[in-house]
Amino acid sequence: NENANETARTGKLLIVSNRLPFTVHRRQGQLHLEQSSGGLATGLSSFYRTYDALWIGWPGIDKSDVGADRERLTQQLLAEKCFPVFLSRYDVDEYYNRFSSGTIWPLFHYFPLYATYSNTSWKAYEKVNRMFCDAVVEKWQQGDTIWVHDFHLMLLPRMLRERLPDPTIGFFLHIPFPSLELFRLLPWRVQLPEGLLGDDLAGFH
């Protein structure tokens, strides 16, 4: 209806990716924000500033290093149109290094011999995707459009679909998607596509 269309036009764009366009460092006891150098952060950093947008992602610092500065850092990032998902070293090692980079990345790039399969890292991947889901649910309002990025968050669209009332969700995969002959090697070959099927529109590299 007309009211729903007006709400859709006035909603925010929530960009969700593994990393924020800012990386946080602690130097001499103080937290400092620096521009992230990754391809996704670089490619979208100027784009999201032209919209009524909020970027949700990991700020690149272990949550134990944030400590009592968590609320102040969150407000500092919100001033830059960003919202942090704080991860531990364990989360990053298992979800990012072992599963995203050690399982999905080589398999999807047609290097199955380099892919490793660990149920521990898969559980961490699920856990971190749920943490991102919690962050999006906290900031989402009716009419917002959610744009999820890349292989680190392939479970997120379905999780969001189950938590939010009729959200608009897009997803873009920034790496190749493998043929069935390779994809079937993945022990979680059912869960990942089910996660992606939670979106309204998917784009592929």
Side-chain angles (χ1 to χ4, degrees), residues 161-205:
R161 182 71 56 193
E162 293 171 350
R163 295 274 303 275
L164 297 174
D166 194 27
T168 299
I169 305 172
F171 177 89
F172 193 87
L173 184 68
H174 293 264
I175 63 173
F177 195 91
S179 65
L180 177 60
E181 288 76 13
L182 281 182
F183 189 75
R184 66 188 296 186
L185 298 175
L186 190 67
W188 307 280
R189 56 188 172 271
V190 174
Q191 292 93 325
L192 288 182
E194 284 182 344
L196 290 181
L197 289 173
D199 59 42
D200 297 287
L201 179 66
F204 294 87
H205 177 76

Side-chain angles (χ1 to χ4, degrees), residues 20 22-26 31-33 59-63 65-80 82-84 86:
L20 288 174
F22 292 94
T23 299
V24 178
H25 301 280
R26 184 178 287 279
L31 295 175
H32 300 271
L33 270 61
I61 187 172
D62 183 84
K63 68 179 182 181
D65 294 333
V66 176
D69 294 321
R70 180 167 178 155
E71 182 57 33
R72 184 178 66 82
L73 176 59
T74 298
Q75 293 305 314
Q76 191 176 358
L77 286 166
L78 283 171
E80 299 289 345
C82 295
F83 185 69
F86 292 108

Side-chain angles (χ1 to χ4, degrees), residues 11 32-33 51 55 64 83 86 92 119 126-127 155 187 204:
H32 300 271
L33 270 61
Y51 284 77
W55 195 319
S64 65
F83 185 69
F86 292 108
V92 173
N119 195 55
E126 285 185 306
K127 171 192 170 185
L155 299 177
F204 294 87

Side-chain angles (χ1 to χ4, degrees), residues 19 107 112 116 141 173 178 200:
R19 291 294 299 272
L107 186 66
T116 59
Q141 295 180 339
L173 184 68
D200 297 287

Side-chain angles (χ1 to χ4, degrees), residues 22-147:
F22 292 94
T23 299
V24 178
H25 301 280
R26 184 178 287 279
R27 292 195 297 269
Q28 299 179 339
Q30 299 296 317
L31 295 175
H32 300 271
L33 270 61
E34 296 179 359
Q35 290 284 149
S36 298
S37 58
L40 177 61
T42 302
L44 291 180
S45 59
S46 60
F47 171 81
Y48 93 99
R49 291 184 181 278
T50 65
Y51 284 77
D52 180 12
L54 181 70
W55 195 319
I56 298 172
W58 177 51
I61 187 172
D62 183 84
K63 68 179 182 181
S64 65
D65 294 333
V66 176
D69 294 321
R70 180 167 178 155
E71 182 57 33
R72 184 178 66 82
L73 176 59
T74 298
Q75 293 305 314
Q76 191 176 358
L77 286 166
L78 283 171
E80 299 289 345
K81 302 172 67 172
C82 295
F83 185 69
V85 179
F86 292 108
L87 304 177
S88 68
R89 288 187 179 88
Y90 176 84
D91 294 331
V92 173
D93 191 46
E94 292 293 337
Y95 138 83
Y96 182 82
N97 294 326
R98 297 185 185 277
F99 193 82
S100 297
S101 299
T103 301
I104 297 179
W105 197 96
L107 186 66
F108 281 35
H109 282 87
Y110 288 77
F111 295 111
L113 291 178
Y114 297 103
T116 59
Y117 306 103
S118 162
N119 195 55
T120 299
S121 60
W122 163 252
K123 292 298 183 184
Y125 185 82
E126 285 185 306
K127 171 192 170 185
V128 172
N129 272 252
R130 284 195 298 270
M131 293 171 67
F132 272 79
C133 182
D134 291 341
V136 175
V137 169
E138 179 180 345
K139 305 309 292 186
W140 181 86
Q141 295 180 339
Q142 190 71 45
D144 290 349
T145 297
I146 305 167
W147 190 13

